[in-house]
Amino acid sequence: MRRAAPSAAAAAAAASLGLGLGLGAATGSSWLWPAPPAALCDGQRARLDGPRVALGVVPGGDKESPALYKSQFATAYDAAARQSEARREANQPTNQQSSGAGETEQAEQRVRRGIATHLMSKLGYSREELAALGDDVLRMQGVNSPFPLAQLRRGESVLDLGSGFGADAFLAAHKVGDQGRVVGLDISAEEVRQARSRAVQRFGVSQERCSFVTGDMEMLPMEAASLDCVISNGGFCLCPDKRKAFGEIFRVLKPGGRLAIACTVLRTPSLPPLEGKRWPPCMEVFMPQAATLPLLAELGFTAIAVDDSNAAMDVWDIREGDVGSVSSAMVAAAEAGRGEGEGELCSHAKKASERRAAERVNTYLCQEREAGIHSGNPDYGFVEDVDMNSLCARVVIFAVKPPATGAAAQ
């Protein structure tokens, strides 16, 4: 596999820091854009559109207190969420727009959804799960799917840590059904507000089965032994004190309850020291992969496993083969939506449709577009040249709280 171009490496690093998948100002999820294939756009670099949202740097490069980390993360994500909402509203179609402009927007929406669906499938989401999400696939954030290990069942109570715009919580609600309940918790009040708004649109008067709260995963506002499963996709990366957070998860899980936490970890005991520079704050709070099992065992968890089968940090890179997969899927979706009397496309027409779809995908990827929260910040420009695959890994952590024996476990 070739090494990613600098812009792709930066995008992959940003995605793996839990900054999310952003596929358009009109979608609401705008932290990150996938990098185009190196052969396209003459290496054109993605750039921020509007004010840069970046986490601060402490003079001297010293690590910050947990409270300051949390404050910075909340501020950065709040600001980015507000910018995203403003762009989405600005791109809403109006009565004055021509039908041609509306058709162009719809075509771009199909491209965005096609790219998002392909990328999320690379993170382990099934075709059925992505279909259940619909256009909310464009609001996805994270590093891996927690659902294969979570194995959610009907009627269960679930907590989604770092729930962002709510996509994983919506999918969890779909899995647990009307008799289940899902709560999404996030440190960003703006993301929680937007997730609540979207929940009303998805669930109507039944949105209480999928609710959202602003909170700190190191101090969960839930009763002890009240949840069947705790999931997370990316947000757990940003928790400064992993011991406290895992301890809180143990407290709120019912005896026999389980966790499935998708996050980025360090392959090394610590980040390499830097001369006159500082690692992005997100990376400073990553936990070493080797510390995961002993920490969870010490807290009382059993059946502990760390799945690193899909750990590559360049998963977000869009290569030539990915463009072909996206365009083929777009044509297949269009075919599925054709009326019964229209008939199937012949092989030549299908190939022509796939070529046109590939051109639209390539054109879209070559547009100037937003990148991650750290992108454009010269303090972190060096990260583009770091081999992230040797430094970090995307993993899914699984563990079970032991069943109660005798007195109820606390």
Side-chain angles (χ1 to χ4, degrees), residues 392-406:
C392 302
R394 299 176 302 107
V395 303
V396 183
I397 303 167
F398 177 83
V400 175
K401 181 175 179 176
T405 56

Side-chain angles (χ1 to χ4, degrees), residues 5-40:
S7 58
S16 302
L17 301 184
L19 300 184
L21 166 67
L23 285 165
T27 70
S29 180
S30 61
W31 307 161
L32 174 72
W33 297 81
L40 300 174

Side-chain angles (χ1 to χ4, degrees), residues 325-392:
S325 296
V326 172
S327 57
S328 295
M330 289 171 59
V331 172
E335 278 274 277
R338 289 168 64 88
E340 293 184 5
E342 296 182 74
E344 295 185 4
L345 294 176
C346 68
S347 59
H348 295 293
K350 185 174 292 185
K351 288 182 179 179
S353 295
E354 289 179 354
R355 283 197 300 270
R356 289 193 295 270
E359 289 171 1
R360 289 195 295 271
V361 172
N362 287 335
T363 298
Y364 178 79
L365 289 171
C366 290
Q367 294 172 358
E368 292 183 352
R369 52 196 189 274
E370 298 171 77
I373 283 180
H374 294 307
S375 182
N377 187 337
D379 295 312
Y380 306 124
F382 70 94
V383 175
E384 296 180 352
D385 299 318
V386 174
D387 180 3
M388 297 298 292
N389 282 320
S390 66
L391 185 60
C392 302

